[in-house]
Amino acid sequence: MEQMRETYIGWLRDAHAMEEQALTMMQGMVNRLEHYPQLRARIEQHIAETEGQESELRRLLDGYGESASMVKDAMGKLTAVGQAMSGMFASDEVVKGSLASYTFEHMEIASYRILIAAAGLLSDTQAVEVFRRCLAEEEAMADWLANHSGEITRQFLTRKEMDMPAGR
Ligand code: MG
Ligand code: FE
C-alpha cells in the first residue's frame, strides 16, 4: 500500500510538471497568433484552465506532504517534450503549434486517466474528482483543436499564398 501510494504521488508530481510545461508552451505561443484570433482566444481560455489545474495539483501534493522543491525536481523529466514545444519559430509555426498542442493534450488525457485509476484504487475520491475535472478540460481542448485544424491549415496556406505574414 505504501509503495502504491509513493508511485501514485510520483505520477502526480509528473502531472504537475506537465501542467507547468503546458503553461510555458501556451504562453510562448499565444502572443504570436495575432492573425488567428479564434485559436488565440481558445488558447487563452486553456491557459486559465491550466493555471487552475496547476494549483489544484499543487494543493493535492501539499496535502500529501510533498514539498515544492520535490515538485521542481520532476520538471527535468519533460525536457525533451519542452524542447519540441518551445522551438516553434519555423515559418509554419501556427500549423506546427497546433500539431504540438494536439499531441500534448493527448498526453495530458492519458496522464489523467492513469491518475484516476491510481487514486481510485487508493480510495482518494477527492483526488479522483480533481482529475476528472482536468480530464474533461483536456478532452474539450483536444476536440476543439481537432475540429479547427483544417481551418487553421487553410488559413495558413491562404495567407502564405497571398504573401501575407502567414506563419503566425
Ligand atoms: Mg492540462
Ligand atoms: Fe491541456
Side-chain angles (χ1 to χ4, degrees):
M1 191 73 173
E2 197 43 48
Q3 204 157 24
M4 205 184 269
R5 199 183 126 88
E6 266 177 40
T7 304
Y8 159 67
I9 289 171
W11 290 341
L12 178 56
R13 250 188 256 135
D14 291 343
H16 180 267
M18 172 182 75
E19 294 304 348
E20 290 190 322
Q21 197 81 56
L23 279 175
T24 303
M25 181 187 103
M26 289 187 289
Q27 283 160 349
M29 263 182 85
V30 75
N31 293 324
R32 303 197 297 272
L33 293 172
E34 65 267 35
H35 303 302
Y36 302 84
Q38 260 193 306
L39 176 61
R40 177 149 90 172
R42 188 60 183 85
I43 289 178
E44 276 168 358
Q45 181 193 327
H46 200 52
I47 285 174
E49 291 166 348
T50 304
E51 284 168 347
Q53 295 170 356
E54 185 277 324
S55 71
E56 289 218 75
L57 299 192
R58 186 155 32 83
R59 200 171 46 79
L60 286 176
L61 282 169
D62 287 346
Y64 298 131
E66 293 294 302
S67 74
S69 64
M70 289 177 84
V71 172
K72 280 215 169 97
D73 288 345
M75 286 294 284
K77 291 190 181 175
L78 281 158
T79 306
V81 176
Q83 280 169 349
M85 303 290 164
S86 59
M88 294 184 300
F89 294 94
S91 62
D92 60 348
E93 177 182 18
V94 66
V95 173
K96 290 292 199 300
S98 69
L99 190 160
S101 299
Y102 188 71
T103 307
F104 201 95
E105 293 310 325
H106 283 82
M107 185 175 70
E108 296 186 276
I109 288 167
S111 300
Y112 285 115
R113 291 213 176 108
I114 290 164
L115 285 171
I116 287 166
L121 193 58
L122 288 159
S123 305
D124 190 341
T125 51
Q126 193 202 342
V128 169
E129 270 173 45
V130 169
F131 301 145
R132 280 197 199 286
R133 279 202 299 275
C134 295
L135 176 63
E137 289 172 350
E138 313 304 11
E139 284 175 336
M141 183 62 179
D143 283 352
W144 192 96
L145 289 165
N147 292 330
H148 290 79
S149 76
E151 189 188 324
I152 292 163
T153 303
R154 284 188 292 273
Q155 202 184 335
F156 165 78
L157 287 172
T158 305
R159 288 188 70 85
K160 196 172 162 74
E161 191 70 14
M162 291 162 67
D163 231 6
M164 294 162 86
R168 310 143 158 233

